[in-house]
Amino acid sequence: MKSVKRALSLLIAAGMCAATLAGCGGGTSSSAASAGSAEGTASGASGEVVQISFPTFMCGTASQTAWAAERIAAFNEEYAGQYEVVVEEIPGDQNYIDKLKVLYSADDLPDVIVTGGYNLIDMFKDKLVDLTPYIEADEEWNAMISDVGRNVNSRDGKLYGIPYIRQTVGYFYNKDLFEQAGIESVPQTWDEFFEACDKLKAAGITPVSMDTADSGWCSGLMLGAAIADAGDAGEEFMNTNQPETYNTPEFIEGATKIQRLFQEYTTTDAIGGDYSVAANNFFNDRTAIIANGPWMVSDFYDTSVAPEGFADKIGVAAFPGNVMYNSGQIGWSIASKTEEKIEASLAFVKFMTSEESQRLDLEMSAAVPDCAIEDADVYPLITETIALADGADRSINDFQSLWHASVVDEISVQFPLLADGTLTPEEFAQALTDAAAT
């Protein structure tokens, strides 16, 4: 039933995309190409439709493509004659982030931005709308926002983003490959984790999917978990917004573990590879472990991505030390420059972060909602991931959400050097500290 529902959602979304987004495979619609400015061309005061410019990474093969297409089409239908969302598709997280930085530099940010977890608030906040008074004036909307979601989207008492996703991340493992290697239980400590990796190698199985490109998402998740397990100071570090120094014993201990994973327990294409490389290795039984969030679960059932029956052999676990990513995530921001545009953008953001939208995102994309939702129709692995997060001994936020954008960019430069031994863990820490100062 799950596979059928997802297939139908994608087919519906494909139709929506053809009419609304000018195709889900990438590129820019003709209307979007002329709507990059936050000012736009329409005037609500004159009775014309107010256009809301919205670039998005939620297109092509992104996990939220179908959800975004359905929701945007629904908004445009509900507000027909009043507001219209004009979409520019920018496939690929890094392409999206790079485009937004260019628009920021040109003082041409679009009306609405959702950063996909990347911390752009600190770079863009001088051009973002302080949403605090608008949220405080709407009791129902205000009450929906979780404390952790509000915290990660706030700076100096001002709310610059509206959360819609909660971050709950552990790692997925292939139960069949674990069994082949004689691994009887999920490792509880890093010593046990490396022992399991040795057993997998002895059985001819590469243990872990890793990556370095596009900020090295999977590798970065492993790094953060290793830092948090180094003690209370490590957990605190992983919940610190924009740390200025990475020269701490906990960070260096975590980096040492990651260097070992790169050098002994991953694939040869990990260095230089991006998330897609890491995921494909896991989908095709070339690796036994991948760190990622529950949004990946629907792909386990998608036979265009993974083999038939793949989902049945996948389990989910907390990181060693019972560490889980369990936090709010940076959400939807507004950069409109006029009250008319702000009003239109607020309507769109409220629609996209509503309980209905968050429920659909959970069911269609496996994105864990920021607000409390009961009785959602979701895959068991998602329920297990949420339960692991709720029972974690250490709960942390991810590096993309908290670290300086300059540091996140620098990771892709420094990870390969750490992996091949050009840098020591101490030198890796210093390189990120230097990046934080830029």
Side-chain angles (χ1 to χ4, degrees):
M1 182 180 75
K2 299 287 187 181
S3 298
V4 171
K5 182 176 74 173
R6 184 174 188 275
L8 287 172
S9 297
L10 290 171
L11 286 171
I12 292 170
M16 301 284 192
C17 285
T20 309
L21 306 183
C24 271
T28 305
S29 67
S30 57
S31 58
S34 62
S37 169
E39 291 299 313
T41 57
S43 172
S46 64
E48 297 179 9
V49 174
V50 179
Q51 292 187 333
I52 304 161
S53 55
F54 176 59
T56 182
F57 59 89
M58 293 180 280
C59 57
T61 59
S63 62
Q64 292 175 290
T65 293
W67 171 79
E70 192 279 338
R71 291 284 80 196
I72 292 168
F75 176 85
N76 282 340
E77 181 179 355
E78 181 171 330
Y79 288 90
Q82 183 179 7
Y83 304 138
E84 178 190 12
V85 177
V86 182
V87 176
E88 178 183 2
E89 295 181 351
I90 308 174
D93 288 357
Q94 195 60 51
N95 293 333
Y96 175 78
I97 299 302
D98 290 344
K99 177 64 176 290
L100 287 181
K101 289 179 180 178
V102 170
L103 293 174
Y104 169 81
S105 297
D107 192 19
D108 198 25
L109 281 176
D111 292 308
V112 176
I113 300 165
V114 57
T115 64
Y118 285 85
N119 177 17
L120 295 182
I121 286 178
D122 293 284
M123 179 180 293
F124 293 173
K125 67 181 180 181
D126 62 314
K127 299 186 188 301
L128 298 180
V129 175
D130 175 12
L131 301 173
T132 310
Y134 302 100
I135 289 296
E136 290 180 346
D138 191 323
E139 292 185 9
E140 183 177 353
W141 196 12
N142 192 24
M144 282 180 54
I145 302 174
S146 71
D147 290 340
V148 292
R150 191 184 307 273
N151 179 61
V152 79
N153 282 278
S154 298
R155 300 291 185 274
D156 302 321
K158 297 180 179 180
L159 187 67
Y160 289 103
I162 307 298
Y164 72 121
I165 290 175
R166 172 185 168 196
Q167 189 85 287
T168 56
V169 178
Y171 70 84
F172 297 108
Y173 65 97
N174 189 311
K175 294 182 287 188
D176 284 2
L177 297 183
F178 267 41
E179 183 178 354
Q180 289 177 34
I183 302 169
E184 298 180 355
S185 60
V186 173
Q188 300 300 307
T189 67
W190 277 98
D191 286 342
E192 292 178 3
F193 188 86
F194 285 125
E195 289 173 5
C197 288
D198 287 332
K199 288 182 179 180
L200 287 163
K201 280 185 68 176
I205 301 164
T206 302
V208 185
S209 278
M210 303 281 281
D211 53 358
T212 65
D214 293 347
S215 79
W217 171 248
C218 299
S219 302
L221 290 175
M222 298 297 292
L223 172 62
I227 294 167
D229 187 52
D232 291 345
E235 182 180 12
E236 182 180 355
F237 179 89
M238 287 307 302
N239 288 306
T240 299
N241 186 47
Q242 294 191 306
E244 298 298 332
T245 180
Y246 296 78
N247 294 319
T248 69
E250 298 77 24
F251 185 90
I252 292 168
E253 182 178 335
T256 300
K257 290 183 172 68
I258 298 311
Q259 186 176 60
R260 183 177 177 185
L261 287 176
F262 272 125
Q263 294 183 345
E264 299 181 32
Y265 300 120
T266 193
T267 55
T268 57
D269 57 5
I271 299 179
D274 60 10
Y275 165 76
S276 66
V277 171
N280 285 334
N281 284 328
F282 186 70
F283 289 140
N284 290 285
D285 292 345
R286 290 193 287 267
T287 57
I289 295 167
I290 188 169
N292 203 11
W295 50 83
M296 190 182 196
V297 171
S298 61
D299 285 340
F300 298 161
Y301 294 83
D302 185 350
T303 54
S304 70
V305 175
E308 182 76 36
F310 182 79
D312 297 333
K313 59 185 181 182
I314 302 303
V316 63
F319 294 100
N322 198 22
V323 173
M324 287 286 292
Y325 289 87
N326 181 24
S327 64
Q329 181 168 303
I330 292 175
W332 297 70
S333 298
I334 294 175
S336 302
K337 296 180 179 179
T338 67
E339 283 301 321
E340 179 181 65
K341 283 299 193 98
I342 291 172
E343 181 180 350
S345 297
L346 281 167
F348 178 49
V349 171
K350 184 175 182 179
F351 186 90
M352 297 300 285
T353 60
S354 67
E355 181 177 345
E356 179 185 6
S357 290
Q358 291 190 44
R359 175 185 290 275
L360 285 173
D361 204 7
L362 172 60
E363 295 179 348
M364 296 174 69
S365 315
V368 178
D370 178 71
C371 69
I373 292 178
E374 298 179 358
D375 303 322
D377 182 16
V378 296
Y379 300 106
L381 278 173
I382 298 173
T383 303
E384 291 177 38
T385 302
I386 296 171
L388 286 169
D390 290 341
D393 290 334
R394 297 192 184 278
S395 296
I396 60 175
N397 206 338
D398 75 274
F399 68 105
Q400 287 185 354
S401 295
L402 289 185
W403 295 358
H404 288 279
S406 57
V407 175
V408 175
D409 289 342
E410 189 68 16
I411 286 175
S412 292
V413 177
Q414 302 300 332
F415 256 160
L417 302 179
L418 178 71
D420 67 14
T422 300
L423 291 182
T424 65
E426 290 81 4
E427 290 168 333
F428 176 68
Q430 184 59 54
L432 298 192
T433 300
D434 293 342
T438 60

mmCIF file with all atom_site columns, all heavy atoms in Angstrom, residues 44-59:
data_model
loop_
_atom_site.group_PDB
_atom_site.id
_atom_site.type_symbol
_atom_site.label_atom_id
_atom_site.label_alt_id
_atom_site.label_comp_id
_atom_site.label_asym_id
_atom_site.label_entity_id
_atom_site.label_seq_id
_atom_site.pdbx_PDB_ins_code
_atom_site.Cartn_x
_atom_site.Cartn_y
_atom_site.Cartn_z
_atom_site.occupancy
_atom_site.B_iso_or_equiv
_atom_site.pdbx_formal_charge
_atom_site.auth_seq_id
_atom_site.auth_comp_id
_atom_site.auth_asym_id
_atom_site.auth_atom_id
_atom_site.pdbx_PDB_model_num
ATOM 1   N N   . GLY A 1 44 ? -1.003 44.088 -5.439  1.00 0.00 ? 44 GLY A N   1
ATOM 2   C CA  . GLY A 1 44 ? -2.297 43.740 -4.867  1.00 0.00 ? 44 GLY A CA  1
ATOM 3   C C   . GLY A 1 44 ? -3.177 44.960 -4.711  1.00 0.00 ? 44 GLY A C   1
ATOM 4   O O   . GLY A 1 44 ? -4.388 44.885 -4.845  1.00 0.00 ? 44 GLY A O   1
ATOM 5   N N   . ALA A 1 45 ? -2.586 46.117 -4.391  1.00 0.00 ? 45 ALA A N   1
ATOM 6   C CA  . ALA A 1 45 ? -3.361 47.335 -4.199  1.00 0.00 ? 45 ALA A CA  1
ATOM 7   C C   . ALA A 1 45 ? -4.112 47.728 -5.463  1.00 0.00 ? 45 ALA A C   1
ATOM 8   O O   . ALA A 1 45 ? -5.161 48.359 -5.417  1.00 0.00 ? 45 ALA A O   1
ATOM 9   C CB  . ALA A 1 45 ? -2.446 48.469 -3.757  1.00 0.00 ? 45 ALA A CB  1
ATOM 10  N N   . SER A 1 46 ? -3.567 47.367 -6.619  1.00 0.00 ? 46 SER A N   1
ATOM 11  C CA  . SER A 1 46 ? -4.207 47.718 -7.881  1.00 0.00 ? 46 SER A CA  1
ATOM 12  C C   . SER A 1 46 ? -5.147 46.629 -8.369  1.00 0.00 ? 46 SER A C   1
ATOM 13  O O   . SER A 1 46 ? -5.674 46.709 -9.466  1.00 0.00 ? 46 SER A O   1
ATOM 14  C CB  . SER A 1 46 ? -3.132 47.988 -8.940  1.00 0.00 ? 46 SER A CB  1
ATOM 15  O OG  . SER A 1 46 ? -2.389 46.797 -9.199  1.00 0.00 ? 46 SER A OG  1
ATOM 16  N N   . GLY A 1 47 ? -5.312 45.597 -7.528  1.00 0.00 ? 47 GLY A N   1
ATOM 17  C CA  . GLY A 1 47 ? -6.222 44.523 -7.886  1.00 0.00 ? 47 GLY A CA  1
ATOM 18  C C   . GLY A 1 47 ? -5.588 43.403 -8.662  1.00 0.00 ? 47 GLY A C   1
ATOM 19  O O   . GLY A 1 47 ? -6.267 42.443 -9.027  1.00 0.00 ? 47 GLY A O   1
ATOM 20  N N   . GLU A 1 48 ? -4.303 43.494 -8.925  1.00 0.00 ? 48 GLU A N   1
ATOM 21  C CA  . GLU A 1 48 ? -3.619 42.430 -9.638  1.00 0.00 ? 48 GLU A CA  1
ATOM 22  C C   . GLU A 1 48 ? -3.157 41.345 -8.671  1.00 0.00 ? 48 GLU A C   1
ATOM 23  O O   . GLU A 1 48 ? -3.063 41.565 -7.463  1.00 0.00 ? 48 GLU A O   1
ATOM 24  C CB  . GLU A 1 48 ? -2.424 43.000 -10.405 1.00 0.00 ? 48 GLU A CB  1
ATOM 25  C CG  . GLU A 1 48 ? -2.800 44.002 -11.479 1.00 0.00 ? 48 GLU A CG  1
ATOM 26  C CD  . GLU A 1 48 ? -1.581 44.560 -12.185 1.00 0.00 ? 48 GLU A CD  1
ATOM 27  O OE1 . GLU A 1 48 ? -0.471 44.036 -11.946 1.00 0.00 ? 48 GLU A OE1 1
ATOM 28  O OE2 . GLU A 1 48 ? -1.727 45.511 -12.965 1.00 0.00 ? 48 GLU A OE2 1
ATOM 29  N N   . VAL A 1 49 ? -2.850 40.181 -9.212  1.00 0.00 ? 49 VAL A N   1
ATOM 30  C CA  . VAL A 1 49 ? -2.358 39.061 -8.416  1.00 0.00 ? 49 VAL A CA  1
ATOM 31  C C   . VAL A 1 49 ? -0.947 39.386 -7.918  1.00 0.00 ? 49 VAL A C   1
ATOM 32  O O   . VAL A 1 49 ? -0.093 39.824 -8.698  1.00 0.00 ? 49 VAL A O   1
ATOM 33  C CB  . VAL A 1 49 ? -2.341 37.771 -9.257  1.00 0.00 ? 49 VAL A CB  1
ATOM 34  C CG1 . VAL A 1 49 ? -1.694 36.635 -8.472  1.00 0.00 ? 49 VAL A CG1 1
ATOM 35  C CG2 . VAL A 1 49 ? -3.764 37.391 -9.665  1.00 0.00 ? 49 VAL A CG2 1
ATOM 36  N N   . VAL A 1 50 ? -0.711 39.176 -6.636  1.00 0.00 ? 50 VAL A N   1
ATOM 37  C CA  . VAL A 1 50 ? 0.614  39.380 -6.062  1.00 0.00 ? 50 VAL A CA  1
ATOM 38  C C   . VAL A 1 50 ? 1.432  38.107 -6.235  1.00 0.00 ? 50 VAL A C   1
ATOM 39  O O   . VAL A 1 50 ? 1.045  37.046 -5.742  1.00 0.00 ? 50 VAL A O   1
ATOM 40  C CB  . VAL A 1 50 ? 0.531  39.751 -4.568  1.00 0.00 ? 50 VAL A CB  1
ATOM 41  C CG1 . VAL A 1 50 ? 1.934  39.929 -3.987  1.00 0.00 ? 50 VAL A CG1 1
ATOM 42  C CG2 . VAL A 1 50 ? -0.300 41.000 -4.377  1.00 0.00 ? 50 VAL A CG2 1
ATOM 43  N N   . GLN A 1 51 ? 2.530  38.211 -6.926  1.00 0.00 ? 51 GLN A N   1
ATOM 44  C CA  . GLN A 1 51 ? 3.386  37.047 -7.155  1.00 0.00 ? 51 GLN A CA  1
ATOM 45  C C   . GLN A 1 51 ? 4.424  36.919 -6.040  1.00 0.00 ? 51 GLN A C   1
ATOM 46  O O   . GLN A 1 51 ? 4.985  37.896 -5.574  1.00 0.00 ? 51 GLN A O   1
ATOM 47  C CB  . GLN A 1 51 ? 4.078  37.165 -8.507  1.00 0.00 ? 51 GLN A CB  1
ATOM 48  C CG  . GLN A 1 51 ? 3.133  37.064 -9.690  1.00 0.00 ? 51 GLN A CG  1
ATOM 49  C CD  . GLN A 1 51 ? 3.859  37.026 -11.019 1.00 0.00 ? 51 GLN A CD  1
ATOM 50  O OE1 . GLN A 1 51 ? 4.974  37.549 -11.130 1.00 0.00 ? 51 GLN A OE1 1
ATOM 51  N NE2 . GLN A 1 51 ? 3.237  36.430 -12.022 1.00 0.00 ? 51 GLN A NE2 1
ATOM 52  N N   . ILE A 1 52 ? 4.651  35.670 -5.641  1.00 0.00 ? 52 ILE A N   1
ATOM 53  C CA  . ILE A 1 52 ? 5.604  35.347 -4.577  1.00 0.00 ? 52 ILE A CA  1
ATOM 54  C C   . ILE A 1 52 ? 6.733  34.549 -5.200  1.00 0.00 ? 52 ILE A C   1
ATOM 55  O O   . ILE A 1 52 ? 6.537  33.427 -5.678  1.00 0.00 ? 52 ILE A O   1
ATOM 56  C CB  . ILE A 1 52 ? 4.924  34.504 -3.477  1.00 0.00 ? 52 ILE A CB  1
ATOM 57  C CG1 . ILE A 1 52 ? 3.690  35.234 -2.922  1.00 0.00 ? 52 ILE A CG1 1
ATOM 58  C CG2 . ILE A 1 52 ? 5.914  34.159 -2.370  1.00 0.00 ? 52 ILE A CG2 1
ATOM 59  C CD1 . ILE A 1 52 ? 2.731  34.310 -2.196  1.00 0.00 ? 52 ILE A CD1 1
ATOM 60  N N   . SER A 1 53 ? 7.918  35.122 -5.237  1.00 0.00 ? 53 SER A N   1
ATOM 61  C CA  . SER A 1 53 ? 9.048  34.407 -5.849  1.00 0.00 ? 53 SER A CA  1
ATOM 62  C C   . SER A 1 53 ? 9.601  33.382 -4.866  1.00 0.00 ? 53 SER A C   1
ATOM 63  O O   . SER A 1 53 ? 9.824  33.667 -3.689  1.00 0.00 ? 53 SER A O   1
ATOM 64  C CB  . SER A 1 53 ? 10.140 35.394 -6.267  1.00 0.00 ? 53 SER A CB  1
ATOM 65  O OG  . SER A 1 53 ? 10.558 36.195 -5.174  1.00 0.00 ? 53 SER A OG  1
ATOM 66  N N   . PHE A 1 54 ? 9.830  32.169 -5.356  1.00 0.00 ? 54 PHE A N   1
ATOM 67  C CA  . PHE A 1 54 ? 10.235 31.066 -4.491  1.00 0.00 ? 54 PHE A CA  1
ATOM 68  C C   . PHE A 1 54 ? 11.146 30.101 -5.243  1.00 0.00 ? 54 PHE A C   1
ATOM 69  O O   . PHE A 1 54 ? 10.684 29.257 -6.009  1.00 0.00 ? 54 PHE A O   1
ATOM 70  C CB  . PHE A 1 54 ? 8.997  30.324 -3.981  1.00 0.00 ? 54 PHE A CB  1
ATOM 71  C CG  . PHE A 1 54 ? 9.310  29.096 -3.160  1.00 0.00 ? 54 PHE A CG  1
ATOM 72  C CD1 . PHE A 1 54 ? 10.065 29.184 -2.000  1.00 0.00 ? 54 PHE A CD1 1
ATOM 73  C CD2 . PHE A 1 54 ? 8.839  27.849 -3.562  1.00 0.00 ? 54 PHE A CD2 1
ATOM 74  C CE1 . PHE A 1 54 ? 10.353 28.051 -1.251  1.00 0.00 ? 54 PHE A CE1 1
ATOM 75  C CE2 . PHE A 1 54 ? 9.114  26.714 -2.814  1.00 0.00 ? 54 PHE A CE2 1
ATOM 76  C CZ  . PHE A 1 54 ? 9.878  26.816 -1.660  1.00 0.00 ? 54 PHE A CZ  1
ATOM 77  N N   . PRO A 1 55 ? 12.454 30.214 -5.036  1.00 0.00 ? 55 PRO A N   1
ATOM 78  C CA  . PRO A 1 55 ? 13.356 29.195 -5.586  1.00 0.00 ? 55 PRO A CA  1
ATOM 79  C C   . PRO A 1 55 ? 13.346 27.973 -4.688  1.00 0.00 ? 55 PRO A C   1
ATOM 80  O O   . PRO A 1 55 ? 13.184 28.089 -3.462  1.00 0.00 ? 55 PRO A O   1
ATOM 81  C CB  . PRO A 1 55 ? 14.713 29.903 -5.544  1.00 0.00 ? 55 PRO A CB  1
ATOM 82  C CG  . PRO A 1 55 ? 14.614 30.798 -4.358  1.00 0.00 ? 55 PRO A CG  1
ATOM 83  C CD  . PRO A 1 55 ? 13.176 31.243 -4.283  1.00 0.00 ? 55 PRO A CD  1
ATOM 84  N N   . THR A 1 56 ? 13.536 26.795 -5.245  1.00 0.00 ? 56 THR A N   1
ATOM 85  C CA  . THR A 1 56 ? 13.476 25.595 -4.417  1.00 0.00 ? 56 THR A CA  1
ATOM 86  C C   . THR A 1 56 ? 14.437 24.518 -4.892  1.00 0.00 ? 56 THR A C   1
ATOM 87  O O   . THR A 1 56 ? 14.646 24.334 -6.094  1.00 0.00 ? 56 THR A O   1
ATOM 88  C CB  . THR A 1 56 ? 12.049 25.021 -4.377  1.00 0.00 ? 56 THR A CB  1
ATOM 89  O OG1 . THR A 1 56 ? 12.022 23.865 -3.518  1.00 0.00 ? 56 THR A OG1 1
ATOM 90  C CG2 . THR A 1 56 ? 11.565 24.614 -5.770  1.00 0.00 ? 56 THR A CG2 1
ATOM 91  N N   . PHE A 1 57 ? 15.000 23.798 -3.923  1.00 0.00 ? 57 PHE A N   1
ATOM 92  C CA  . PHE A 1 57 ? 15.784 22.594 -4.189  1.00 0.00 ? 57 PHE A CA  1
ATOM 93  C C   . PHE A 1 57 ? 14.878 21.371 -4.214  1.00 0.00 ? 57 PHE A C   1
ATOM 94  O O   . PHE A 1 57 ? 15.327 20.267 -4.542  1.00 0.00 ? 57 PHE A O   1
ATOM 95  C CB  . PHE A 1 57 ? 16.845 22.407 -3.089  1.00 0.00 ? 57 PHE A CB  1
ATOM 96  C CG  . PHE A 1 57 ? 16.244 22.291 -1.721  1.00 0.00 ? 57 PHE A CG  1
ATOM 97  C CD1 . PHE A 1 57 ? 15.878 21.053 -1.214  1.00 0.00 ? 57 PHE A CD1 1
ATOM 98  C CD2 . PHE A 1 57 ? 16.011 23.412 -0.952  1.00 0.00 ? 57 PHE A CD2 1
ATOM 99  C CE1 . PHE A 1 57 ? 15.291 20.945 0.037   1.00 0.00 ? 57 PHE A CE1 1
ATOM 100 C CE2 . PHE A 1 57 ? 15.429 23.313 0.304   1.00 0.00 ? 57 PHE A CE2 1
ATOM 101 C CZ  . PHE A 1 57 ? 15.076 22.073 0.798   1.00 0.00 ? 57 PHE A CZ  1
ATOM 102 N N   . MET A 1 58 ? 13.597 21.553 -3.870  1.00 0.00 ? 58 MET A N   1
ATOM 103 C CA  . MET A 1 58 ? 12.657 20.428 -3.797  1.00 0.00 ? 58 MET A CA  1
ATOM 104 C C   . MET A 1 58 ? 12.113 20.141 -5.188  1.00 0.00 ? 58 MET A C   1
ATOM 105 O O   . MET A 1 58 ? 10.962 20.434 -5.520  1.00 0.00 ? 58 MET A O   1
ATOM 106 C CB  . MET A 1 58 ? 11.546 20.741 -2.791  1.00 0.00 ? 58 MET A CB  1
ATOM 107 C CG  . MET A 1 58 ? 12.053 20.825 -1.366  1.00 0.00 ? 58 MET A CG  1
ATOM 108 S SD  . MET A 1 58 ? 10.778 21.193 -0.124  1.00 0.00 ? 58 MET A SD  1
ATOM 109 C CE  . MET A 1 58 ? 10.619 22.979 -0.331  1.00 0.00 ? 58 MET A CE  1
ATOM 110 N N   . CYS A 1 59 ? 12.966 19.572 -6.019  1.00 0.00 ? 59 CYS A N   1
ATOM 111 C CA  . CYS A 1 59 ? 12.621 19.268 -7.400  1.00 0.00 ? 59 CYS A CA  1
ATOM 112 C C   . CYS A 1 59 ? 13.483 18.091 -7.850  1.00 0.00 ? 59 CYS A C   1
ATOM 113 O O   . CYS A 1 59 ? 14.375 17.645 -7.128  1.00 0.00 ? 59 CYS A O   1
ATOM 114 C CB  . CYS A 1 59 ? 12.841 20.493 -8.293  1.00 0.00 ? 59 CYS A CB  1
ATOM 115 S SG  . CYS A 1 59 ? 14.522 21.151 -8.257  1.00 0.00 ? 59 CYS A SG  1
#
